[in-house]
Amino acid sequence: MRLRVDLPQDVAKNSTQLLILAVYGHYSRLVRGWSSVADLITLMERLGVPAQATRSAVTRMTRRDLLAPQRRGTVRGYAATSKAQLIFEEGDEVVYAPLKPARLEDGWVIVSFSVPEAEREKRYTLRKRLVWLGMGQLESGLWIAPARVLPTVLKWVRRLGLEQYVDAFTAHHEGLGDTTALVRRAWNLEELAASYDNYLRSWSPVLTSVREPDGISEPGDAFAVYTLALEQWMRFPYLDPGLPAQLLPTGWHGEAAQELAHELRELLETMAFEYVASTVGDSAEP
C-alpha cells in the first residue's frame, strides 16, 4: 500500500537493528518485551524492511545479547534482554525530553579515565558511552560536557562497573583561551548542525503532508511514518550535549528539529499504537 505522504529518500538508511529496538522499546507496553517472529516481520515489512533482512538483524542482535529466543506455547519469538531493557529505560528518559540549552554559568563536568590495555574492551565501552551521553573529547582520556550531565555520567560509570578507572570533576572555564574555541575543539558542531538541517529538510515536507486533512488516516501508515521518523530522530538527544546558546554556531536549528519531531509524535503516535495493538493482538500476552 502506498503512503499518502512521500517519505524522505534517505529513509532507506535507517538501521534495521535500530528500527527493531524502536519497535520493542517505544511500543513496549504493547509488545511487553516480546514479539513473535511473525508479528515482528509484519511490523518491519510495514517499515519497508524485507523479512529476510529482519531475520538477519535479529540473529545479529541475539549475538549482541539484545534479543533472546523465547517460545510462548507453540509460538516462536524473541524477548528483549536485560541489556536491551536498560537501553529502553534510558530512551524513555531522553528521546523526547525537552533539550534546553545549558546555562554557561553552571559550568562543566570533566571526566578523566585511564583503562589498562589488558581491559581495552572496557575502555572501548566507556568511550562509546561517553559519546552517547553527548560528551566532547578534549584529548585522549579527557572529556567535557555541561555540568548537568554529571549525574547521568556517574550512573553509567557505575552501571558499567568502571569506577576504578574514572575521575569526574565539575569546573568553570577561567581561560586562558576562548570558551567557544574550546567547545569547537571538543565537538564537531558543524557536523551536528548539518545533521539537524538534513532532518528538517527530510521531514518538514512529511509534516506538511501529515497536517493536511487527508494526510494520514490509516494506522498502518501512521506507524510507518512515525516509527521511521522516530528512528532518525532518536540519535540526536544522545549526540547533542545541550550547549549554552551563546556557544552554538549561527543558524543552529536543533530546537526547530526537536519541535518537528514532537509535532509528528503528537499527530501520529495514537494511530501508530493502534496499528501495533491490532498487529500483535493477544500474542504478546505472557
Side-chain angles (χ1 to χ4, degrees), residues 22-218:
V23 168
Y24 271 85
H26 192 67
Y27 304 101
S28 58
R29 69 177 174 84
L30 296 176
V31 301
R32 296 178 178 85
W34 180 90
S35 176
S36 71
V37 175
D39 287 348
L40 183 59
I41 286 175
T42 297
L43 292 172
M44 295 298 289
E45 285 181 335
R46 193 75 189 210
L47 300 176
V49 180
Q52 186 53 49
T54 297
R55 292 191 181 94
S56 297
V58 166
T59 298
R60 293 193 295 272
M61 294 173 74
T62 302
R63 292 173 185 156
R64 295 175 59 199
D65 190 32
L66 293 171
L67 296 177
Q70 185 182 101
R71 282 184 177 271
R72 295 195 173 174
T74 60
V75 181
R76 292 175 54 247
Y78 287 85
T81 63
S82 57
K83 180 179 177 181
Q85 293 292 349
L86 287 176
I87 296 173
F88 302 155
E89 290 171 14
E90 184 187 41
D92 289 342
E93 299 173 7
V94 173
V95 170
Y96 280 114
L99 184 60
K100 299 297 183 183
R103 301 192 312 165
L104 186 59
E105 58 267 31
D106 290 340
W108 306 90
V109 56
I110 306 292
V111 173
S112 173
F113 67 87
S114 179
V115 181
E117 181 62 22
E119 299 195 69
R120 58 181 176 273
E121 187 63 31
K122 286 187 176 182
R123 183 173 61 209
Y124 170 77
T125 301
L126 176 59
R127 185 181 294 115
K128 183 169 65 173
R129 176 49 53 185
L130 293 179
V131 169
W132 281 99
L133 290 176
M135 298 202 73
Q137 187 174 14
L138 289 171
E139 57 185 68
S140 179
L142 188 64
W143 297 70
I144 186 173
R148 66 185 181 187
V149 177
L150 177 60
T152 309
V153 171
L154 296 179
K155 179 182 74 174
W156 273 101
V157 169
R158 294 187 182 109
R159 185 172 283 175
L160 294 169
L162 298 174
E163 298 97 315
Q164 62 182 314
Y165 302 122
V166 179
D167 291 297
F169 310 86
T170 55
H172 290 271
H173 186 228
E174 304 294 349
L176 299 170
D178 178 66
T179 304
T180 301
L182 178 80
V183 163
R184 296 299 179 89
R185 199 172 95 217
W187 287 276
N188 189 339
L189 294 182
E190 286 72 21
E191 181 177 300
L192 184 55
S195 296
Y196 274 132
D197 290 345
N198 183 61
Y199 186 85
L200 283 169
R201 281 194 302 272
S202 297
W203 291 98
S204 291
V206 175
L207 178 58
T208 299
S209 297
V210 170
R211 284 171 174 162
E212 296 295 327
D214 61 345
I216 288 185
S217 58
E218 293 291 330

